Amino acid sequence: MDALLETIVGWLWGLPLIFTVLFVGLYFTIGSKLFQFSYLPHIFKETFGKLFGKKEKSEDSKGILTPFQAVATAIGGSVGVGNIGGVATAIAIGGPGAVFWMWITALLGMITKTVEVTLSVYYRNTDEKGNPYGGPTYYMEKGLGEEKNFKFWKVPAILFGVGIFTTFFITLQNYTISEAVSSTFDIGMIPASFIYLTIIYIIIYGGIKRIGEIASLLVPFMCMFYVIAGLYIIFKNYTEIIPVFSLIFDSAFSGMAAVGGFTGAAIAQVIRMGVARAVYSNEAGWGTSPMIHSTAKTSHPIKQGMWGAMEVFADTMIVCSITAFTIIITGVWSSGLDGAALTLSAFEIGIGEIGRYIITISIFLFGLTTSTGWYTYYEIILRHLFNNEKKLALKYKILTLFKWLYPIPGSLMVIYAVMNDMPGKAVWYFADITTAIPTFVNLIVILFLSKKFFELLRDYKARYLNIGIVDPDFNVFYEDKVKKGIYK
């Protein structure tokens, strides 16, 4: 089965998709005149800098969540088991060189995430209670269907929606958490899975607003907790930092021969693992976190888009790098372990037995915010599917039923894996399969809608950076056009 899964992943994450991920990021980087790099200080100021300044008050800022609650939920959805188990598996399969390709994908992904978040906010819908919801299916309908008159917009929307919902059946959070908790606290994976399932029910019962509030409390704590522990190990072995960089860069372009328990990796495998794991971790191009960003209170789509860029930066350039350096610097990357077990081993070697407890708690918190964050993505897609007013009663019945069903497949996967003695590597192959189709569809769509993003970026620069002339007739949100009767 391992061989079959590896073949499928190799095909899905072959040259076409890898090229698309990197090309789209490069296209928007050049088209925006290196926005994520040249305006990085401004992006920091307008995102994390706003947390410590005066809060913006605007009557035009409509939404369910504050910008920080939205990004906390999105980071909670992306900074998860992928940062711990996913990075470890990328190194275990692709070697240290995979880390370089994760960095490249993330740096380009900063602008990709900015684009998809911006478009999600611009094209979002308002429900019967006045709450906004958006995402890729919304900009496919309005951007492709209404503005570009593409009659078959439902085809990419269905492919995207089906691709996203495969993660409902194949989910890694419950598995990775159960694996870590089981090995650390000496309880079975199945009991650990049911404990986790119960906590998920408690949180999602409060709805999207409650999830945002909990994420805004947990995310800063869990990231700092994990980063401090990782930095301690890295700086304790400071003499190895330069050699680790050398190992990463050397093996990024040459692949790597077998070392210890490491099976060796060809250059194609190194690139594939780096790109695939970066997308799974920071979700740039996947089209997932823009759905929660679309519910944020903001007066301009680009403002929330910049939070998307910072989300990718925090996820990959900081948290994933901490994981990678810890694994490589402690020398366990070639031990033959993979997934959460590899990261647990690295932290245990780095700071003793307490390191295992730190990582287990981190995995639990990361997974918790990921699972609850992803619930919001499914809900937003379902809301779009049943958007017709005549289906209002049916919509709430479906949402209620889904709320009860949502945590169950994760536990079923744990039971299946335990009963069939499935290795962690095989489970992560499933993850790569679920990301490929929606990522490819979403990236192609945002390329077609690139003109709208560049228009919004120019308008933002004119309004807030005094670069260019503000067009008083420019519509900052798509619904403004609808109100004017431009689109119905």
Side-chain angles (χ1 to χ4, degrees):
M1 186 175 183
D2 274 4
L4 175 61
L5 289 172
E6 187 173 359
T7 301
I8 294 172
V9 170
W11 181 73
L12 288 174
W13 278 100
L15 185 60
L17 183 51
I18 290 174
F19 174 80
T20 303
V21 169
L22 299 177
F23 172 79
V24 170
L26 192 60
Y27 172 80
F28 282 107
T29 297
I30 295 171
S32 66
K33 298 178 181 177
L34 310 181
F35 181 74
Q36 75 270 40
F37 304 125
S38 55
Y39 288 88
L40 188 59
H42 175 76
I43 293 172
F44 268 109
K45 178 185 174 184
E46 293 300 311
T47 53
F48 292 131
K50 289 289 186 181
L51 300 179
F52 308 101
K54 215 172 178 182
K55 292 188 178 178
E56 175 186 3
K57 289 184 180 179
S58 172
E59 303 203 354
D60 295 328
S61 301
K62 300 174 183 177
I64 302 172
L65 305 178
T66 66
F68 179 66
Q69 287 176 341
V71 80
T73 306
I75 288 178
S78 58
V79 177
V81 298
N83 298 73
I84 298 176
V87 173
T89 305
I91 296 172
I93 298 174
V99 179
F100 172 83
W101 293 104
M102 288 184 68
W103 289 338
I104 295 298
T105 306
L107 292 172
L108 296 176
M110 287 175 67
I111 191 65
T112 303
K113 180 68 74 72
T114 300
V115 173
E116 52 186 347
V117 170
T118 297
L119 293 175
S120 290
V121 173
Y122 175 76
Y123 287 109
R124 63 189 181 181
N125 267 5
T126 302
D127 71 2
E128 64 282 350
K129 295 181 180 178
N131 295 321
Y133 297 93
T137 56
Y138 291 79
Y139 55 69
M140 289 173 195
E141 177 185 7
K142 297 178 179 180
L144 293 181
E146 295 177 8
E147 284 189 330
K148 294 190 177 295
N149 200 28
F150 180 61
K151 297 179 181 179
F152 303 103
W153 67 267
K154 287 185 179 179
V155 174
I158 291 171
L159 285 173
F160 175 84
V162 170
I164 291 296
F165 266 88
T166 57
T167 60
F168 171 67
F169 301 100
I170 302 172
T171 174
L172 297 181
Q173 282 70 42
N174 198 315
Y175 175 86
T176 305
I177 287 166
S178 301
E179 180 185 35
V181 170
S182 172
S183 63
T184 300
F185 297 103
D186 197 27
I187 62 174
M189 283 184 67
I190 295 176
S193 172
F194 282 114
I195 292 171
Y196 180 70
L197 175 144
T198 303
I199 296 173
I200 294 298
Y201 272 126
I202 293 170
I203 295 176
I204 66 175
Y205 186 79
I208 289 178
K209 186 169 178 59
R210 176 59 57 85
I211 290 171
E213 291 169 350
I214 292 174
S216 67
L217 295 175
L218 283 181
V219 167
F221 167 75
M222 73 184 193
C223 287
M224 186 153 313
F225 183 65
Y226 183 74
V227 166
I228 289 173
L231 286 175
Y232 172 78
I233 296 173
I234 293 167
F235 286 113
K236 190 175 83 169
N237 299 278
Y238 69 93
T239 56
E240 297 299 316
I241 294 176
I242 300 301
V244 167
F245 269 111
S246 297
L247 184 62
I248 289 172
F249 283 103
D250 289 345
S251 54
F253 299 97
S254 60
M256 176 154 288
V259 179
F262 180 62
T263 56
I267 182 62
Q269 189 178 42
V270 175
I271 297 173
R272 184 169 67 245
M273 281 297 104
V275 175
R277 289 296 183 267
V279 171
Y280 188 85
S281 177
N282 62 49
E283 300 180 19
W286 196 354
T288 47
S289 57
M291 289 186 263
I292 192 65
H293 279 285
S294 70
T295 67
K297 299 173 182 177
T298 185
S299 55
H300 199 286
I302 293 291
K303 286 188 175 182
Q304 196 62 31
M306 290 188 293
W307 276 104
M310 290 313 302
E311 176 188 322
V312 175
F313 185 87
D315 178 279
T316 306
M317 302 309 294
I318 297 177
V319 182
C320 284
S321 295
I322 292 289
T323 302
F325 266 74
T326 303
I327 289 170
I328 298 170
I329 214 165
T330 54
V332 298
W333 67 273
S334 59
S335 64
L337 295 172
D338 61 24
L342 179 55
T343 309
L344 284 167
S345 177
F347 274 78
E348 189 168 15
I349 289 173
I351 53 179
E353 189 177 355
I354 192 174
R356 176 172 285 272
Y357 290 101
I358 287 173
I359 295 308
T360 301
I361 293 171
S362 297
I363 289 174
F364 187 85
L365 293 175
F366 283 12
L368 193 63
T369 56
T370 300
S371 293
T372 54
W374 267 79
Y375 167 78
T376 66
Y377 305 159
Y378 297 128
E379 180 176 320
I380 286 170
I381 290 178
L382 287 172
R383 283 178 178 274
H384 192 191
L385 183 62
F386 297 98
N387 191 44
N388 193 313
E389 289 293 328
K390 295 178 182 178
K391 299 177 181 176
L392 193 60
L394 176 61
K395 176 171 74 175
Y396 284 106
K397 286 180 182 178
I398 294 292
L399 290 176
T400 301
L401 176 63
F402 183 73
K403 191 175 287 187
W404 284 106
L405 292 176
Y406 172 65
I408 295 174
S411 286
L412 293 178
M413 188 163 190
V414 171
I415 294 171
Y416 179 82
V418 171
M419 299 297 288
N420 292 276
D421 198 26
M422 183 184 292
K425 185 170 68 173
V427 178
W428 279 99
Y429 280 142
F430 278 121
D432 290 336
I433 293 170
T434 62
T435 60
I437 294 173
T439 300
F440 187 78
V441 171
N442 184 54
L443 289 173
I444 296 301
V445 170
I446 65 173
L447 271 180
F448 277 100
L449 299 177
S450 60
K451 182 180 177 182
K452 179 56 64 180
F453 170 74
F454 292 132
E455 287 176 358
L456 288 164
L457 185 59
R458 282 194 296 272
D459 179 74
Y460 176 83
K461 288 180 177 180
R463 288 176 189 267
Y464 301 100
L465 298 175
N466 296 318
I467 300 173
I469 301 172
V470 177
D471 179 0
D473 296 322
F474 184 82
N475 298 293
V476 177
F477 294 95
Y478 184 84
E479 64 181 358
D480 296 335
K481 287 186 174 184
V482 175
K483 290 175 183 176
K484 293 176 181 178
I486 298 174
Y487 294 107
K488 295 181 180 181

